[in-house]
Amino acid sequence: MKLATRILWALALGAITGIVINIFADNWFKPLDGYIFTPLGTIFLNLIKMLIVPLVFFSIAVGVANIGDPKKLGRMGGKTMAFFLSTTAIAITIGIIAALLLKPGVGGSFDTTNLEYESSEAPPVTDTLLGIIPANPIEAMASGDMLAIIFFALFIGIGVAALGEKVDIFKRFLEQGNEIMMFLVGLVMKFAPIGTFGLIASAVGKQGFDALKAMFLYMVVVILALALHFIVVYGGAMKLLAKQNPIKIMKEFIPAMTVAFSTSSSSATLPIAMDVAQTKLGVPKPISSFVQPLGATINMDGTAIMQGVATIFIAQVFGVDLSIQDMVVVVLTAVLASIGTAAVPGAGMIMLAMVLESVGLPVAGIALIIGIDRLLDMTRTLVNITGDLTCALYIAEDEKKRELKNA
Ligand code: ASP
């Protein structure tokens, strides 16, 4: 059986196990989760996480060293950012429009009297941006600070390219380090079916189904908007910009999508997403290594969609009318918020507070959606990483065209 098929089976089995225990054997959940599901999931998660920092460092440094030409690097960087920002703005607009049309917060019975939400301080976006330059690269690596690691690796790559022959042994070291990391990703992925089973059984088993009923329409709206963005924007970009068959691409990408779904973490999905892009989808290594880690960290369309729907939902529940200007503010803030969102489970919720505050909506409204957010987090993380892949495919096609023209 192919790995993708095995993971999908594991996913289904995990979900069924979680649901069955949740409904019929609730008191069994704690021991089963504590001794089986969570440990299995954590083994898998830690195995992947172990590879993220060295993989990102090696692959970006090698990628940039091979691109060499700073002009080309700048051009790719500019296009990548333009793609990320515009798709995120489209994503949040889709979320807002879907929520305005389907009105998930109107008519339901939501008790808003005793809502409480302890909002942890969302880091100011300027901090995120300034934090890109690591005063101490070792510290950045030790704390897994992705943007800072990317920045440092970029610099090392530029240095290696500039010094050429002089540092050829170091360059080979980076290349071989990268090879080893990619090999290890393949190895760890063999454990993916078991890990996925554990993660999903645990997540579904924990879920309060009563909360699901009340929030059903909200969830439907988020999922519809995610699906629309996925099919129309990514499918369209794959076809028109990257000149690829979207169905074929998505099929190959299933292992990465399932890992995103079960871990709810873009950064944990990064190793496998890069592996698929480079080995199965023909994205040149320098491009994949540059675009995907950057995307996993700052490009979060799925998160932006949730923030759009959630903002309108909370406005509807609290009976607040948002003006067109307010909505523009929401779009701009959510684009920034999704850049600042860490690529880990639940981070999108923390940044939602910032979006709500930007238009004076009660942050306590988050208490309504937080209970069911884990399930949506799974789906939006899948969208988040597919967006990064789409961008990598587009940049690859664009660079290919440019090279053919220059040849
Ligand atoms: N879990 C998401 C991710 O890692 C972020 C979020 O929306 O919470 O991509």
PDB file of all heavy atoms in Angstrom, residues 65-102:
ATOM      1  N   ALA A  65      23.037  29.345  -1.677  1.00  0.00           N
ATOM      2  CA  ALA A  65      24.399  29.218  -2.221  1.00  0.00           C
ATOM      3  C   ALA A  65      24.330  28.805  -3.692  1.00  0.00           C
ATOM      4  O   ALA A  65      25.127  29.265  -4.514  1.00  0.00           O
ATOM      5  CB  ALA A  65      25.176  28.190  -1.420  1.00  0.00           C
ATOM      6  N   ASN A  66      23.370  27.961  -4.019  1.00  0.00           N
ATOM      7  CA  ASN A  66      23.264  27.518  -5.413  1.00  0.00           C
ATOM      8  C   ASN A  66      22.632  28.558  -6.325  1.00  0.00           C
ATOM      9  O   ASN A  66      22.945  28.631  -7.507  1.00  0.00           O
ATOM     10  CB  ASN A  66      22.484  26.206  -5.506  1.00  0.00           C
ATOM     11  CG  ASN A  66      23.342  25.041  -5.053  1.00  0.00           C
ATOM     12  OD1 ASN A  66      24.577  25.099  -5.134  1.00  0.00           O
ATOM     13  ND2 ASN A  66      22.710  24.003  -4.546  1.00  0.00           N
ATOM     14  N   ILE A  67      21.725  29.336  -5.772  1.00  0.00           N
ATOM     15  CA  ILE A  67      21.130  30.397  -6.608  1.00  0.00           C
ATOM     16  C   ILE A  67      22.210  31.435  -6.890  1.00  0.00           C
ATOM     17  O   ILE A  67      22.335  31.936  -8.002  1.00  0.00           O
ATOM     18  CB  ILE A  67      19.926  31.058  -5.894  1.00  0.00           C
ATOM     19  CG1 ILE A  67      18.775  30.056  -5.762  1.00  0.00           C
ATOM     20  CG2 ILE A  67      19.435  32.275  -6.687  1.00  0.00           C
ATOM     21  CD1 ILE A  67      17.608  30.566  -4.948  1.00  0.00           C
ATOM     22  N   GLY A  68      22.999  31.729  -5.853  1.00  0.00           N
ATOM     23  CA  GLY A  68      24.164  32.605  -6.039  1.00  0.00           C
ATOM     24  C   GLY A  68      23.827  34.043  -6.347  1.00  0.00           C
ATOM     25  O   GLY A  68      24.058  34.917  -5.528  1.00  0.00           O
ATOM     26  N   ASP A  69      23.222  34.272  -7.473  1.00  0.00           N
ATOM     27  CA  ASP A  69      22.956  35.621  -7.950  1.00  0.00           C
ATOM     28  C   ASP A  69      21.971  36.367  -7.029  1.00  0.00           C
ATOM     29  O   ASP A  69      20.801  35.999  -6.939  1.00  0.00           O
ATOM     30  CB  ASP A  69      22.367  35.453  -9.361  1.00  0.00           C
ATOM     31  CG  ASP A  69      21.966  36.773  -9.962  1.00  0.00           C
ATOM     32  OD1 ASP A  69      22.290  37.809  -9.356  1.00  0.00           O
ATOM     33  OD2 ASP A  69      21.336  36.752 -11.034  1.00  0.00           O
ATOM     34  N   PRO A  70      22.426  37.435  -6.345  1.00  0.00           N
ATOM     35  CA  PRO A  70      21.536  38.148  -5.426  1.00  0.00           C
ATOM     36  C   PRO A  70      20.331  38.767  -6.141  1.00  0.00           C
ATOM     37  O   PRO A  70      19.267  38.925  -5.548  1.00  0.00           O
ATOM     38  CB  PRO A  70      22.422  39.261  -4.840  1.00  0.00           C
ATOM     39  CG  PRO A  70      23.801  38.997  -5.281  1.00  0.00           C
ATOM     40  CD  PRO A  70      23.783  37.991  -6.384  1.00  0.00           C
ATOM     41  N   LYS A  71      20.522  39.093  -7.430  1.00  0.00           N
ATOM     42  CA  LYS A  71      19.398  39.687  -8.175  1.00  0.00           C
ATOM     43  C   LYS A  71      18.257  38.689  -8.309  1.00  0.00           C
ATOM     44  O   LYS A  71      17.088  39.011  -8.110  1.00  0.00           O
ATOM     45  CB  LYS A  71      19.878  40.118  -9.576  1.00  0.00           C
ATOM     46  CG  LYS A  71      20.020  41.606  -9.667  1.00  0.00           C
ATOM     47  CD  LYS A  71      19.805  42.288 -10.934  1.00  0.00           C
ATOM     48  CE  LYS A  71      20.178  42.156 -12.271  1.00  0.00           C
ATOM     49  NZ  LYS A  71      21.207  42.220 -13.078  1.00  0.00           N
ATOM     50  N   LYS A  72      18.648  37.462  -8.638  1.00  0.00           N
ATOM     51  CA  LYS A  72      17.652  36.409  -8.787  1.00  0.00           C
ATOM     52  C   LYS A  72      16.948  36.154  -7.454  1.00  0.00           C
ATOM     53  O   LYS A  72      15.730  35.979  -7.402  1.00  0.00           O
ATOM     54  CB  LYS A  72      18.344  35.131  -9.272  1.00  0.00           C
ATOM     55  CG  LYS A  72      17.400  33.971  -9.496  1.00  0.00           C
ATOM     56  CD  LYS A  72      18.084  32.803 -10.183  1.00  0.00           C
ATOM     57  CE  LYS A  72      17.145  31.613 -10.214  1.00  0.00           C
ATOM     58  NZ  LYS A  72      17.727  30.425 -10.785  1.00  0.00           N
ATOM     59  N   LEU A  73      17.736  36.195  -6.408  1.00  0.00           N
ATOM     60  CA  LEU A  73      17.209  35.970  -5.074  1.00  0.00           C
ATOM     61  C   LEU A  73      16.179  37.056  -4.723  1.00  0.00           C
ATOM     62  O   LEU A  73      15.095  36.780  -4.216  1.00  0.00           O
ATOM     63  CB  LEU A  73      18.368  36.017  -4.086  1.00  0.00           C
ATOM     64  CG  LEU A  73      18.185  35.269  -2.807  1.00  0.00           C
ATOM     65  CD1 LEU A  73      18.069  33.792  -3.079  1.00  0.00           C
ATOM     66  CD2 LEU A  73      19.351  35.543  -1.876  1.00  0.00           C
ATOM     67  N   GLY A  74      16.540  38.289  -5.011  1.00  0.00           N
ATOM     68  CA  GLY A  74      15.650  39.409  -4.733  1.00  0.00           C
ATOM     69  C   GLY A  74      14.360  39.287  -5.521  1.00  0.00           C
ATOM     70  O   GLY A  74      13.266  39.525  -4.991  1.00  0.00           O
ATOM     71  N   ARG A  75      14.495  38.907  -6.788  1.00  0.00           N
ATOM     72  CA  ARG A  75      13.306  38.775  -7.638  1.00  0.00           C
ATOM     73  C   ARG A  75      12.386  37.685  -7.089  1.00  0.00           C
ATOM     74  O   ARG A  75      11.183  37.873  -6.969  1.00  0.00           O
ATOM     75  CB  ARG A  75      13.776  38.420  -9.048  1.00  0.00           C
ATOM     76  CG  ARG A  75      12.670  38.355 -10.072  1.00  0.00           C
ATOM     77  CD  ARG A  75      13.217  38.033 -11.439  1.00  0.00           C
ATOM     78  NE  ARG A  75      13.795  36.702 -11.488  1.00  0.00           N
ATOM     79  CZ  ARG A  75      14.980  36.413 -12.007  1.00  0.00           C
ATOM     80  NH1 ARG A  75      15.719  37.356 -12.530  1.00  0.00           N
ATOM     81  NH2 ARG A  75      15.420  35.178 -12.023  1.00  0.00           N
ATOM     82  N   MET A  76      12.984  36.557  -6.744  1.00  0.00           N
ATOM     83  CA  MET A  76      12.174  35.465  -6.202  1.00  0.00           C
ATOM     84  C   MET A  76      11.511  35.871  -4.895  1.00  0.00           C
ATOM     85  O   MET A  76      10.332  35.586  -4.664  1.00  0.00           O
ATOM     86  CB  MET A  76      13.061  34.238  -5.942  1.00  0.00           C
ATOM     87  CG  MET A  76      13.158  33.327  -7.133  1.00  0.00           C
ATOM     88  SD  MET A  76      14.389  32.027  -6.863  1.00  0.00           S
ATOM     89  CE  MET A  76      13.949  31.406  -5.266  1.00  0.00           C
ATOM     90  N   GLY A  77      12.279  36.569  -4.065  1.00  0.00           N
ATOM     91  CA  GLY A  77      11.740  37.010  -2.780  1.00  0.00           C
ATOM     92  C   GLY A  77      10.555  37.945  -2.981  1.00  0.00           C
ATOM     93  O   GLY A  77       9.519  37.805  -2.334  1.00  0.00           O
ATOM     94  N   GLY A  78      10.700  38.877  -3.913  1.00  0.00           N
ATOM     95  CA  GLY A  78       9.630  39.840  -4.173  1.00  0.00           C
ATOM     96  C   GLY A  78       8.366  39.150  -4.654  1.00  0.00           C
ATOM     97  O   GLY A  78       7.260  39.424  -4.169  1.00  0.00           O
ATOM     98  N   LYS A  79       8.551  38.231  -5.600  1.00  0.00           N
ATOM     99  CA  LYS A  79       7.375  37.518  -6.132  1.00  0.00           C
ATOM    100  C   LYS A  79       6.719  36.652  -5.079  1.00  0.00           C
ATOM    101  O   LYS A  79       5.499  36.562  -5.009  1.00  0.00           O
ATOM    102  CB  LYS A  79       7.818  36.635  -7.304  1.00  0.00           C
ATOM    103  CG  LYS A  79       8.029  37.465  -8.524  1.00  0.00           C
ATOM    104  CD  LYS A  79       7.899  36.625  -9.751  1.00  0.00           C
ATOM    105  CE  LYS A  79       8.057  37.566 -10.935  1.00  0.00           C
ATOM    106  NZ  LYS A  79       8.912  37.023 -11.944  1.00  0.00           N
ATOM    107  N   THR A  80       7.556  36.005  -4.285  1.00  0.00           N
ATOM    108  CA  THR A  80       7.010  35.140  -3.237  1.00  0.00           C
ATOM    109  C   THR A  80       6.162  35.971  -2.276  1.00  0.00           C
ATOM    110  O   THR A  80       5.026  35.613  -1.957  1.00  0.00           O
ATOM    111  CB  THR A  80       8.162  34.457  -2.459  1.00  0.00           C
ATOM    112  OG1 THR A  80       8.943  33.725  -3.394  1.00  0.00           O
ATOM    113  CG2 THR A  80       7.650  33.528  -1.393  1.00  0.00           C
ATOM    114  N   MET A  81       6.703  37.112  -1.845  1.00  0.00           N
ATOM    115  CA  MET A  81       5.956  37.945  -0.910  1.00  0.00           C
ATOM    116  C   MET A  81       4.660  38.450  -1.552  1.00  0.00           C
ATOM    117  O   MET A  81       3.610  38.481  -0.903  1.00  0.00           O
ATOM    118  CB  MET A  81       6.807  39.143  -0.455  1.00  0.00           C
ATOM    119  CG  MET A  81       7.916  38.798   0.519  1.00  0.00           C
ATOM    120  SD  MET A  81       7.378  37.789   1.897  1.00  0.00           S
ATOM    121  CE  MET A  81       6.349  38.935   2.785  1.00  0.00           C
ATOM    122  N   ALA A  82       4.737  38.847  -2.825  1.00  0.00           N
ATOM    123  CA  ALA A  82       3.536  39.349  -3.497  1.00  0.00           C
ATOM    124  C   ALA A  82       2.473  38.251  -3.558  1.00  0.00           C
ATOM    125  O   ALA A  82       1.284  38.491  -3.298  1.00  0.00           O
ATOM    126  CB  ALA A  82       3.891  39.833  -4.905  1.00  0.00           C
ATOM    127  N   PHE A  83       2.908  37.042  -3.852  1.00  0.00           N
ATOM    128  CA  PHE A  83       1.958  35.925  -3.924  1.00  0.00           C
ATOM    129  C   PHE A  83       1.344  35.672  -2.540  1.00  0.00           C
ATOM    130  O   PHE A  83       0.129  35.545  -2.406  1.00  0.00           O
ATOM    131  CB  PHE A  83       2.670  34.659  -4.422  1.00  0.00           C
ATOM    132  CG  PHE A  83       1.749  33.493  -4.650  1.00  0.00           C
ATOM    133  CD1 PHE A  83       1.192  33.263  -5.904  1.00  0.00           C
ATOM    134  CD2 PHE A  83       1.416  32.631  -3.613  1.00  0.00           C
ATOM    135  CE1 PHE A  83       0.331  32.190  -6.108  1.00  0.00           C
ATOM    136  CE2 PHE A  83       0.565  31.555  -3.813  1.00  0.00           C
ATOM    137  CZ  PHE A  83       0.018  31.332  -5.060  1.00  0.00           C
ATOM    138  N   PHE A  84       2.199  35.620  -1.526  1.00  0.00           N
ATOM    139  CA  PHE A  84       1.706  35.354  -0.173  1.00  0.00           C
ATOM    140  C   PHE A  84       0.681  36.405   0.262  1.00  0.00           C
ATOM    141  O   PHE A  84      -0.392  36.087   0.735  1.00  0.00           O
ATOM    142  CB  PHE A  84       2.873  35.358   0.830  1.00  0.00           C
ATOM    143  CG  PHE A  84       3.748  34.126   0.764  1.00  0.00           C
ATOM    144  CD1 PHE A  84       4.992  34.107   1.391  1.00  0.00           C
ATOM    145  CD2 PHE A  84       3.331  32.982   0.101  1.00  0.00           C
ATOM    146  CE1 PHE A  84       5.796  32.971   1.354  1.00  0.00           C
ATOM    147  CE2 PHE A  84       4.132  31.841   0.051  1.00  0.00           C
ATOM    148  CZ  PHE A  84       5.366  31.844   0.681  1.00  0.00           C
ATOM    149  N   LEU A  85       1.059  37.675   0.073  1.00  0.00           N
ATOM    150  CA  LEU A  85       0.179  38.730   0.580  1.00  0.00           C
ATOM    151  C   LEU A  85      -1.135  38.781  -0.187  1.00  0.00           C
ATOM    152  O   LEU A  85      -2.205  38.919   0.401  1.00  0.00           O
ATOM    153  CB  LEU A  85       0.888  40.091   0.505  1.00  0.00           C
ATOM    154  CG  LEU A  85       2.076  40.247   1.459  1.00  0.00           C
ATOM    155  CD1 LEU A  85       2.749  41.595   1.265  1.00  0.00           C
ATOM    156  CD2 LEU A  85       1.621  40.105   2.912  1.00  0.00           C
ATOM    157  N   SER A  86      -1.057  38.633  -1.519  1.00  0.00           N
ATOM    158  CA  SER A  86      -2.309  38.753  -2.266  1.00  0.00           C
ATOM    159  C   SER A  86      -3.226  37.564  -2.008  1.00  0.00           C
ATOM    160  O   SER A  86      -4.434  37.738  -1.847  1.00  0.00           O
ATOM    161  CB  SER A  86      -2.049  38.946  -3.765  1.00  0.00           C
ATOM    162  OG  SER A  86      -1.175  37.954  -4.222  1.00  0.00           O
ATOM    163  N   THR A  87      -2.674  36.350  -1.920  1.00  0.00           N
ATOM    164  CA  THR A  87      -3.574  35.213  -1.648  1.00  0.00           C
ATOM    165  C   THR A  87      -4.166  35.313  -0.236  1.00  0.00           C
ATOM    166  O   THR A  87      -5.315  34.942  -0.019  1.00  0.00           O
ATOM    167  CB  THR A  87      -2.866  33.848  -1.797  1.00  0.00           C
ATOM    168  OG1 THR A  87      -1.603  33.891  -1.145  1.00  0.00           O
ATOM    169  CG2 THR A  87      -2.680  33.472  -3.251  1.00  0.00           C
ATOM    170  N   THR A  88      -3.391  35.849   0.701  1.00  0.00           N
ATOM    171  CA  THR A  88      -3.940  35.987   2.057  1.00  0.00           C
ATOM    172  C   THR A  88      -5.073  37.012   2.068  1.00  0.00           C
ATOM    173  O   THR A  88      -6.112  36.801   2.705  1.00  0.00           O
ATOM    174  CB  THR A  88      -2.841  36.398   3.054  1.00  0.00           C
ATOM    175  OG1 THR A  88      -1.772  35.455   2.967  1.00  0.00           O
ATOM    176  CG2 THR A  88      -3.359  36.413   4.475  1.00  0.00           C
ATOM    177  N   ALA A  89      -4.888  38.112   1.338  1.00  0.00           N
ATOM    178  CA  ALA A  89      -5.958  39.120   1.287  1.00  0.00           C
ATOM    179  C   ALA A  89      -7.208  38.527   0.626  1.00  0.00           C
ATOM    180  O   ALA A  89      -8.336  38.768   1.078  1.00  0.00           O
ATOM    181  CB  ALA A  89      -5.476  40.356   0.535  1.00  0.00           C
ATOM    182  N   ILE A  90      -7.014  37.742  -0.431  1.00  0.00           N
ATOM    183  CA  ILE A  90      -8.169  37.089  -1.070  1.00  0.00           C
ATOM    184  C   ILE A  90      -8.838  36.141  -0.069  1.00  0.00           C
ATOM    185  O   ILE A  90     -10.065  36.109   0.073  1.00  0.00           O
ATOM    186  CB  ILE A  90      -7.727  36.280  -2.321  1.00  0.00           C
ATOM    187  CG1 ILE A  90      -7.166  37.217  -3.388  1.00  0.00           C
ATOM    188  CG2 ILE A  90      -8.911  35.477  -2.887  1.00  0.00           C
ATOM    189  CD1 ILE A  90      -6.569  36.502  -4.585  1.00  0.00           C
ATOM    190  N   ALA A  91      -8.001  35.385   0.657  1.00  0.00           N
ATOM    191  CA  ALA A  91      -8.538  34.405   1.610  1.00  0.00           C
ATOM    192  C   ALA A  91      -9.450  35.069   2.636  1.00  0.00           C
ATOM    193  O   ALA A  91     -10.582  34.627   2.853  1.00  0.00           O
ATOM    194  CB  ALA A  91      -7.396  33.687   2.316  1.00  0.00           C
ATOM    195  N   ILE A  92      -8.968  36.148   3.212  1.00  0.00           N
ATOM    196  CA  ILE A  92      -9.784  36.760   4.269  1.00  0.00           C
ATOM    197  C   ILE A  92     -11.044  37.385   3.680  1.00  0.00           C
ATOM    198  O   ILE A  92     -12.113  37.350   4.276  1.00  0.00           O
ATOM    199  CB  ILE A  92      -8.979  37.757   5.124  1.00  0.00           C
ATOM    200  CG1 ILE A  92      -9.914  38.576   5.967  1.00  0.00           C
ATOM    201  CG2 ILE A  92      -8.132  38.677   4.360  1.00  0.00           C
ATOM    202  CD1 ILE A  92      -9.352  38.852   7.270  1.00  0.00           C
ATOM    203  N   THR A  93     -10.929  37.898   2.465  1.00  0.00           N
ATOM    204  CA  THR A  93     -12.120  38.459   1.825  1.00  0.00           C
ATOM    205  C   THR A  93     -13.160  37.353   1.596  1.00  0.00           C
ATOM    206  O   THR A  93     -14.357  37.556   1.833  1.00  0.00           O
ATOM    207  CB  THR A  93     -11.743  39.120   0.481  1.00  0.00           C
ATOM    208  OG1 THR A  93     -10.617  39.968   0.719  1.00  0.00           O
ATOM    209  CG2 THR A  93     -12.878  39.947  -0.072  1.00  0.00           C
ATOM    210  N   ILE A  94     -12.700  36.199   1.151  1.00  0.00           N
ATOM    211  CA  ILE A  94     -13.632  35.071   0.976  1.00  0.00           C
ATOM    212  C   ILE A  94     -14.292  34.733   2.316  1.00  0.00           C
ATOM    213  O   ILE A  94     -15.507  34.537   2.400  1.00  0.00           O
ATOM    214  CB  ILE A  94     -12.887  33.820   0.422  1.00  0.00           C
ATOM    215  CG1 ILE A  94     -12.439  34.068  -1.012  1.00  0.00           C
ATOM    216  CG2 ILE A  94     -13.786  32.579   0.502  1.00  0.00           C
ATOM    217  CD1 ILE A  94     -11.678  32.912  -1.644  1.00  0.00           C
ATOM    218  N   GLY A  95     -13.501  34.708   3.377  1.00  0.00           N
ATOM    219  CA  GLY A  95     -14.041  34.390   4.700  1.00  0.00           C
ATOM    220  C   GLY A  95     -15.112  35.391   5.112  1.00  0.00           C
ATOM    221  O   GLY A  95     -16.191  35.016   5.578  1.00  0.00           O
ATOM    222  N   ILE A  96     -14.816  36.681   4.907  1.00  0.00           N
ATOM    223  CA  ILE A  96     -15.776  37.721   5.301  1.00  0.00           C
ATOM    224  C   ILE A  96     -17.066  37.609   4.497  1.00  0.00           C
ATOM    225  O   ILE A  96     -18.173  37.626   5.041  1.00  0.00           O
ATOM    226  CB  ILE A  96     -15.143  39.121   5.110  1.00  0.00           C
ATOM    227  CG1 ILE A  96     -14.024  39.314   6.135  1.00  0.00           C
ATOM    228  CG2 ILE A  96     -16.186  40.216   5.233  1.00  0.00           C
ATOM    229  CD1 ILE A  96     -13.326  40.660   6.056  1.00  0.00           C
ATOM    230  N   ILE A  97     -16.915  37.456   3.179  1.00  0.00           N
ATOM    231  CA  ILE A  97     -18.114  37.398   2.327  1.00  0.00           C
ATOM    232  C   ILE A  97     -18.959  36.166   2.675  1.00  0.00           C
ATOM    233  O   ILE A  97     -20.187  36.248   2.802  1.00  0.00           O
ATOM    234  CB  ILE A  97     -17.726  37.400   0.830  1.00  0.00           C
ATOM    235  CG1 ILE A  97     -17.091  38.754   0.488  1.00  0.00           C
ATOM    236  CG2 ILE A  97     -18.945  37.143  -0.053  1.00  0.00           C
ATOM    237  CD1 ILE A  97     -16.590  38.864  -0.932  1.00  0.00           C
ATOM    238  N   ALA A  98     -18.293  35.026   2.865  1.00  0.00           N
ATOM    239  CA  ALA A  98     -19.041  33.806   3.206  1.00  0.00           C
ATOM    240  C   ALA A  98     -19.832  34.013   4.494  1.00  0.00           C
ATOM    241  O   ALA A  98     -21.005  33.629   4.590  1.00  0.00           O
ATOM    242  CB  ALA A  98     -18.084  32.629   3.360  1.00  0.00           C
ATOM    243  N   ALA A  99     -19.197  34.660   5.486  1.00  0.00           N
ATOM    244  CA  ALA A  99     -19.886  34.850   6.759  1.00  0.00           C
ATOM    245  C   ALA A  99     -21.014  35.872   6.636  1.00  0.00           C
ATOM    246  O   ALA A  99     -22.058  35.751   7.278  1.00  0.00           O
ATOM    247  CB  ALA A  99     -18.893  35.290   7.829  1.00  0.00           C
ATOM    248  N   LEU A 100     -20.824  36.874   5.773  1.00  0.00           N
ATOM    249  CA  LEU A 100     -21.884  37.871   5.593  1.00  0.00           C
ATOM    250  C   LEU A 100     -23.092  37.237   4.908  1.00  0.00           C
ATOM    251  O   LEU A 100     -24.238  37.525   5.244  1.00  0.00           O
ATOM    252  CB  LEU A 100     -21.373  39.045   4.750  1.00  0.00           C
ATOM    253  CG  LEU A 100     -20.406  40.013   5.450  1.00  0.00           C
ATOM    254  CD1 LEU A 100     -19.897  41.059   4.469  1.00  0.00           C
ATOM    255  CD2 LEU A 100     -21.089  40.681   6.652  1.00  0.00           C
ATOM    256  N   LEU A 101     -22.827  36.345   3.957  1.00  0.00           N
ATOM    257  CA  LEU A 101     -23.933  35.725   3.224  1.00  0.00           C
ATOM    258  C   LEU A 101     -24.652  34.673   4.055  1.00  0.00           C
ATOM    259  O   LEU A 101     -25.875  34.606   4.072  1.00  0.00           O
ATOM    260  CB  LEU A 101     -23.408  35.069   1.934  1.00  0.00           C
ATOM    261  CG  LEU A 101     -22.918  36.019   0.835  1.00  0.00           C
ATOM    262  CD1 LEU A 101     -22.366  35.229  -0.344  1.00  0.00           C
ATOM    263  CD2 LEU A 101     -24.061  36.924   0.382  1.00  0.00           C
ATOM    264  N   LEU A 102     -23.877  33.835   4.742  1.00  0.00           N
ATOM    265  CA  LEU A 102     -24.497  32.691   5.431  1.00  0.00           C
ATOM    266  C   LEU A 102     -24.860  32.986   6.889  1.00  0.00           C
ATOM    267  O   LEU A 102     -25.518  32.187   7.544  1.00  0.00           O
ATOM    268  CB  LEU A 102     -23.579  31.471   5.344  1.00  0.00           C
ATOM    269  CG  LEU A 102     -23.281  31.022   3.901  1.00  0.00           C
ATOM    270  CD1 LEU A 102     -22.195  29.956   3.854  1.00  0.00           C
ATOM    271  CD2 LEU A 102     -24.553  30.498   3.240  1.00  0.00           C
TER     272      LEU A 102
END
